[in-house]
Amino acid sequence: MFKIGKIPPEILEDIVMNPIKKNNVKREDVVLRPKTGEDCSAIDLQGELCVLSTDPITGAAKDIGYLAVQINCNDIFSAGGEPIGILLTVLLPEGSNERDLEEIMEGALKGAQELGIEILGGHTEVTDAVCKPIVSAAVIGRSRERKIIQTGGAKVGQDVVMTKWAGLEGTAIIAKEYEKVLRQRLPYDLVQSAQNMKEYLSVGKESFIAAQHGATAMHDATEGGILGAVWEVAECSQTGVEIWQDKIPIKDETKIICKEGNIDPLRLISSGTMIITTEQGAELVDKLAKNGISGAIIGKITDKERIIIANQSREMLEEPKSDALYQVKF
């Protein structure tokens, strides 16, 4: 039986990806096809590359309209593209009311306004198939200068750069979902600061800077956290990777909340944090800093092993499993 979270990569390959690859229909206008770890596909519309992506919000019950817009657009940004519009499917459980729907739409419109995109349409219904509100989105974007930056573009010897902090989105979600219990245990300002981390969810700015710098791979760190995202870059690129755990930036709010919830911040959903591979990592970190974005070199792309070095010990970097968000216990 499946656990909550992403389908294990080997099962995904066997049941989903391999049948898609074996499909006899291969259109010439499709230029980027599905691959494990690849968040987007793209089609060539005779002069313009259209970039597409889709994702649901299932790990949160609050702020889901805002999260749906930001997280889906991050996939377009991670491909080096520019989002144009988004379609939303909103599924509400029986017993929902007008205010529930209003909160979702207020968040979605706030996110769309921040990113300068339109809500193009979608679908809304009440159904007994869900026990809490679910928002699934599909975002449409376009490439910049007909260039797509793939998750699988990492090359041996390149630096692995990450932006912002590990566990960014997960910290904001936990601080909101478990606000009552956290306010009983932690200072008010700390919980408020953790909730405000959602303001850093977009990777739009850093994606443009990294693309101009010459990044060969970019990947938004969603389910599975920082370590999961790095593994997906290596898997998609068919390379190894060496990660230095002590170089991974983590905010104090995340450390404290993850300790309270007994979870690993490096395996906590981290949308808003981008994994980037490039030849000149230090120069990219400087460019990011000049634009008000924190960044750090956290490792190197290698040819074989996928390892993480922590306290002078070397451990295998494992494939993503169920996100730490689903393991929170207070």
Side-chain angles (χ1 to χ4, degrees):
M1 295 178 64
F2 293 141
K3 294 182 179 179
I4 293 176
K6 285 187 176 182
I7 299 295
E10 65 276 10
I11 297 176
L12 185 68
E13 283 288 330
D14 186 42
I15 297 178
V16 179
M17 293 302 180
N18 286 338
I20 291 175
K21 292 173 185 176
K22 293 176 182 177
N23 186 355
N24 291 329
V25 178
K26 293 289 186 291
R27 295 180 57 97
E28 292 183 359
D29 44 12
V30 177
V31 297
L32 179 58
R33 292 186 167 84
K35 184 189 296 185
T36 299
E38 194 70 64
D39 287 327
C40 291
S41 43
I43 55 178
D44 188 344
L45 299 179
Q46 297 183 353
E48 186 71 75
L49 295 183
C50 178
V51 191
L52 311 165
S53 188
T54 181
D55 257 324
I57 300 298
T58 58
K62 300 177 182 178
D63 293 330
I64 59 175
Y66 184 81
L67 292 172
V69 172
Q70 294 284 359
I71 273 61
N72 277 275
C73 287
N74 278 353
D75 286 341
I76 303 298
F77 287 133
S78 296
E82 174 189 359
I84 295 171
I86 193 165
L87 297 102
L88 302 172
T89 296
V90 180
L91 302 178
L92 297 172
E94 189 175 5
S96 298
N97 55 43
E98 291 183 8
R99 186 55 194 154
D100 295 329
L101 183 57
E102 285 175 352
E103 288 181 356
I104 291 172
M105 291 311 302
E106 286 170 1
L109 288 166
K110 181 176 184 290
Q113 185 174 11
E114 289 178 359
L115 297 172
I117 67 169
E118 291 192 41
I119 296 178
L120 302 174
H123 175 79
T124 308
E125 72 171 89
V126 176
T127 172
D128 60 5
V130 299
C131 59
K132 65 179 182 179
I134 298 291
V135 177
S136 181
V139 63
I140 300 169
R142 64 185 177 194
S143 63
R144 295 188 177 108
E145 301 177 350
R146 290 183 55 80
K147 182 180 180 182
I148 298 291
I149 299 176
Q150 301 183 31
T151 302
K155 303 186 184 306
V156 174
Q158 289 185 326
D159 293 320
V160 178
V161 174
M162 69 168 276
T163 64
K164 301 169 188 160
W165 321 279
L168 195 164
E169 181 193 3
T171 302
I173 289 175
I174 294 169
K176 191 74 172 181
E177 298 287 322
Y178 298 93
E179 180 176 14
K180 186 175 181 179
V181 65
L182 287 173
R183 289 205 186 280
Q184 294 174 349
R185 301 182 179 201
L186 302 174
Y188 176 89
D189 289 347
L190 187 145
V191 177
Q192 190 65 46
S193 177
Q195 291 180 351
N196 291 341
M197 284 173 67
K198 74 174 186 179
E199 298 173 4
Y200 298 93
L201 281 177
S202 177
V203 297
K205 196 173 180 180
E206 56 254 55
S207 73
F208 181 76
I209 295 169
Q212 292 294 310
H213 178 76
T216 62
M218 299 194 298
H219 193 44
D220 185 33
T222 54
E223 284 198 46
I226 295 301
L227 298 185
V230 170
W231 185 92
E232 288 179 338
V233 169
E235 176 69 12
C236 219
S237 304
Q238 293 298 288
T239 65
V241 67
E242 180 178 290
I243 295 298
W244 312 316
Q245 183 171 315
D246 63 343
K247 299 293 185 181
I248 299 176
I250 310 176
K251 288 189 72 112
D252 287 341
E253 294 91 328
T254 299
K255 292 178 182 178
I256 293 169
I257 285 177
C258 286
K259 184 178 180 180
E260 287 288 333
N262 196 32
I263 57 173
D264 182 357
L266 301 185
R267 294 286 184 183
L268 177 62
I269 188 167
S270 299
S271 296
T273 302
M274 179 172 275
I275 300 298
I276 305 163
T277 63
T278 182
E279 297 290 346
Q280 294 93 25
E283 290 182 17
L284 175 57
V285 170
D286 287 342
K287 289 179 182 178
L288 291 168
K290 289 176 182 177
N291 285 273
I293 302 168
S294 62
I297 298 173
I298 63 167
K300 283 275 189 185
I301 297 295
T302 61
D303 59 352
K304 290 184 180 180
E305 287 187 320
R306 297 170 190 172
I307 61 171
I308 180 167
I309 298 175
N311 299 323
Q312 298 183 336
S313 66
R314 296 164 63 92
E315 299 178 3
M316 295 300 297
L317 179 62
E318 298 179 352
E319 65 189 41
K321 295 183 173 65
S322 181
D323 194 271
L325 183 64
Y326 305 117
Q327 301 162 15
V328 173
K329 292 181 181 179
F330 290 111

